């Protein structure tokens, strides 16, 4: 079975641009979470969606938004990119609303 | 507020040595979950173990073992007879017992196992 898949794997943007990151959860998993991992630090929670509803939001500005589709895949959008948004964006899925997370390999965003 | 501390930033050992990675957590929740994840250079976080706050039994899985002590708010991870493939960044994480999954991760410990 396929694990969590994310696209794109790498991308480069310039300040002020917008980016959309995509995530497909493990088959049967209904919860998707997004984390930001800055180089040298642990991942930080951005959003969780379960059954297409937002279940949690971390301490990130409104420039960050997400949604979950009927097939449980998810998109993370970041508007008005800043240099500080450069990071590895990790998507994770789980079977239910709680429990261990299974992560994808991430989308590495570089903002110039 | 929840917090996870991993005081060891980097550890280097020689193959076959035992190594313990420390994790100390803070939470006001009575029900919570603790996790360890491994992050190899590829970037994907690999789940290793989950422990709930009511289960203080230590666990062993092959060369890996975990020591959960509620009295000291610690959840330490020991690798016995380390191997080069164990080289990675290891994260300890904490999740509350509510409906959400806001995992709070520690800063990670980079383990290098030298041949």
């Amino acid at each position: 079975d396929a694990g969590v898949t994310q696209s794109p794997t790498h991308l480069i943007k310039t300040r002020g641009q917008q980016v959309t990151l995509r995530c497909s959860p493990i088959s049967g998993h209904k919860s998707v979470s997004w984390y930001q991992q800055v180089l040298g630090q642990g991942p930080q929670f951005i959003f969780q969606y379960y059954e297409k509803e937002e279940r949690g939001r971390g301490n990130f500005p409104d420039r960050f938004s997400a949604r979950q589709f009927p097939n449980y895949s998810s998109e993370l959008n970041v508007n008005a990119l800043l240099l500080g948004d450069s990071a590895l964006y990790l998507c994770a899925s789980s079977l239910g609303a709680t429990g261990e997370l299974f992560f994808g390999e991430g989308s590495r965003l570089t903002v110039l | 507020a929840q917090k996870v501390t991993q005081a060891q930033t980097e550890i280097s050992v020689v193959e076959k040595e035992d190594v313990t990675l420390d994790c100390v957590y803070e939470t006001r929740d009575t029900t919570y979950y603790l996790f360890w994840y491994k992050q190899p250079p590829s970037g994907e976080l690999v789940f290793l173990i989950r422990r709930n706050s009511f289960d203080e039994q230590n666990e062993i899985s092959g060369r890996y073992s975990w020591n959960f002590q509620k009295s000291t708010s610690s959840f330490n991870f020991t690798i016995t007879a380390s191997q080069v493939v164990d080289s990675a960044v290891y994260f300890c994480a904490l999740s509350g017992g509510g409906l959400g999954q806001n995992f709070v991760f520690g800063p990670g410990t980079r383990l290098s196992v030298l041949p």
Side-chain angles (χ1 to χ4, degrees), chain B residues 3-24:
Chain B
K3 184 179 178 181
V4 175
T5 302
Q6 294 179 257
Q8 305 146 310
T9 306
E10 292 191 40
I11 301 176
S12 286
V13 298
V14 176
E15 209 170 15
K16 297 184 184 176
E17 284 185 6
D18 298 347
V19 58
T20 295
L21 310 182
D22 297 334
C23 172
V24 174

Side-chain angles (χ1 to χ4, degrees), chain A residues 43-63:
Chain A
Q44 281 204 298
F45 174 71
I46 309 175
F47 286 110
Q48 184 205 0
Y49 278 79
Y50 177 68
E51 288 281 16
K52 292 153 288 195
E53 290 188 4
E54 183 182 299
R55 280 297 185 95
R57 173 186 286 253
N59 188 22
F60 281 81
D62 291 343
R63 299 184 296 107

Side-chain angles (χ1 to χ4, degrees), chain A residues 28-106:
Chain A
H29 285 195
K30 298 182 178 180
S31 175
V32 169
S33 299
W34 287 94
Y35 286 78
Q36 181 197 64
Q37 186 178 20
V38 173
L39 196 62
Q41 297 182 19
Q44 281 204 298
F45 174 71
I46 309 175
F47 286 110
Q48 184 205 0
Y49 278 79
Y50 177 68
E51 288 281 16
K52 292 153 288 195
E53 290 188 4
E54 183 182 299
R55 280 297 185 95
R57 173 186 286 253
N59 188 22
F60 281 81
D62 291 343
R63 299 184 296 107
F64 288 76
S65 63
R67 56 180 174 167
Q68 186 176 33
F69 298 100
N71 66 353
Y72 302 108
S73 67
S74 178
E75 284 182 354
L76 175 70
N77 294 286
V78 187
N79 294 323
L81 285 168
L82 303 174
L83 296 179
D85 295 331
S86 295
L88 180 67
Y89 288 85
L90 293 161
C91 174
S93 74
S94 65
L95 196 57
T98 60
E100 55 266 35
L101 299 176
F102 295 90
F103 285 84
E105 291 194 357

Side-chain angles (χ1 to χ4, degrees), chain B residues 28-47:
Chain B
R28 293 180 182 169
D29 292 339
T30 53
T31 301
Y32 53 89
Y33 300 89
L34 295 163
F35 303 80
W36 276 95
Y37 282 85
K38 173 182 180 180
Q39 189 174 41
S42 63
E44 180 180 354
L45 283 157
V46 177
F47 167 74

Side-chain angles (χ1 to χ4, degrees), chain B residues 49 51 55-61 64-70 74-77:
Chain B
I49 189 171
R51 174 67 68 221
D55 182 3
E56 287 194 69
Q57 254 192 331
N58 291 330
E59 182 158 339
I60 298 174
S61 176
Y64 295 169
S65 62
W66 291 269
N67 182 2
F68 176 30
Q69 291 198 338
K70 225 169 166 178
S74 65
F75 186 43
N76 296 337
F77 172 31

